[in-house]
Amino acid sequence: MTTRAFAAIEPPEPPPCIDHLIVLAADLASGVQWCERQLGVTPAAGGEHPLMGTHNRLLNISSPAHPRAYLELIAIQQGATKTIPGGAKRWFDMDDSRLQRQVAQHGPQLIHWVAAVPDMAARCAALAAQGLDRGAIISASRATPEGLLQWQVTLRADGQRLMDGCLPTLIQWGATHPCANLPASGLQLHRLTLRHPQMAALQAACAALGLLPQVVLEAAPAPELLAQLGTARGPVCLTSRPDMDARRAV
């Protein structure tokens, strides 16, 4: 009898999808209070990002429509020094003084979203063909009780989000996704709507990234992100507009 050796078959990577929402806070303590007040839940522990001098707390918002999604509450870590070389700025416009003033005045704010893609270099090239520089692909990590969490992410030297935060940052995870160890929060992401005056350009970019089934696009005179969540208290809509209540009717 002969035996055959079979090569291990790697499971296919998931298609492009919404990975997480970014809520910026002046500090994590005020961010936790915001989560408890607006969403009725306390975010789970996150960790530190030595590369950026930031830290976070997380909420699992996975749903049937978005089965691997979470909300990241992020803030600059006081006393920490970012180690990113070359004088580059922090991700997600966190060093932008105007954005910092908005958050200081109005409280934590939905500012951006991140999309997971299986082929980052090809997706970045597709954006570059449309005149959009999503930035370099860098490696990042943070320590967790379960081990080192590792990923690749796009980052511009100027830290810009692009298209007022409506064009996502791109991410590709290593062996483990944060949702694998995040407890259920009772929250679910139902819909992410992107409103922008340059709708044709945003639609073309999302199409190039393979994300059109994942998001709703609407033309509007001013840019805005709207994340509709299901909570134990009923539906809640998070908005990137600093002058609007996060709990406005959906």
Side-chain angles (χ1 to χ4, degrees):
M1 181 181 294
T2 60
T3 60
R4 297 180 180 178
F6 292 92
I9 299 176
E10 294 291 334
E13 291 192 74
C17 62
I18 297 171
D19 190 77
H20 63 280
L21 308 179
I22 303 289
V23 173
L24 178 62
D27 57 79
L28 284 189
S30 63
V32 169
Q33 293 173 357
W34 174 87
C35 282
E36 294 172 341
R37 182 175 65 253
Q38 302 291 0
L39 303 176
V41 293
T42 300
E48 301 176 356
H49 310 115
L51 188 67
M52 295 291 163
T54 59
H55 56 169
N56 65 9
R57 299 282 294 264
L58 307 178
L59 280 169
N60 193 331
I61 57 172
S62 300
S63 66
H66 306 287
R68 202 172 75 163
Y70 67 97
L71 184 150
E72 178 181 24
L73 179 69
I74 193 167
I76 294 175
Q77 186 175 9
Q78 297 303 314
T81 302
K82 61 182 180 180
T83 61
I84 185 171
K89 294 187 176 181
R90 292 180 176 89
W91 44 28
F92 317 138
D93 275 322
M94 290 180 68
D95 287 324
D96 181 76
S97 59
R98 181 187 61 84
L99 184 58
Q100 290 176 351
R101 287 193 300 270
Q102 283 185 6
V103 171
Q105 179 179 357
H106 298 284
Q109 179 184 332
L110 174 67
I111 63 164
H112 193 37
W113 65 293
V114 178
V117 295
D119 46 1
M120 293 184 68
R123 304 291 173 169
C124 287
L127 291 180
Q130 299 183 22
L132 295 167
D133 180 8
R134 185 55 283 179
I137 299 173
I138 66 168
S139 296
S141 64
R142 68 173 176 85
T144 76
E146 294 78 24
L148 192 66
L149 195 61
Q150 297 176 297
W151 65 95
Q152 290 186 307
V153 65
T154 54
L155 178 69
R156 292 170 55 100
D158 58 14
Q160 286 187 13
R161 294 164 289 165
L162 297 185
M163 297 196 77
D164 306 281
C166 288
L167 184 70
T169 290
L170 306 182
I171 197 166
Q172 188 169 10
W173 290 98
T176 304
H177 188 274
C179 284
N181 297 303
L182 271 182
S185 67
L187 306 178
Q188 289 193 335
L189 174 62
H190 290 165
R191 180 185 300 175
L192 178 62
T193 301
L194 312 176
R195 295 175 174 172
H196 203 275
Q198 296 177 308
M199 182 47 57
L202 182 58
Q203 183 174 24
C206 287
L209 294 173
L211 291 166
L212 283 186
Q214 295 283 317
V215 294
V216 177
L217 303 178
E218 296 179 357
E224 183 180 12
L225 288 79
L226 290 168
Q228 295 181 10
L229 304 176
T231 80
R233 298 175 173 178
V236 171
C237 188
L238 304 182
T239 173
S240 62
R241 287 184 57 181
D243 57 331
M244 299 297 290
D245 190 338
R247 289 187 55 82
R248 71 180 185 180
V250 297

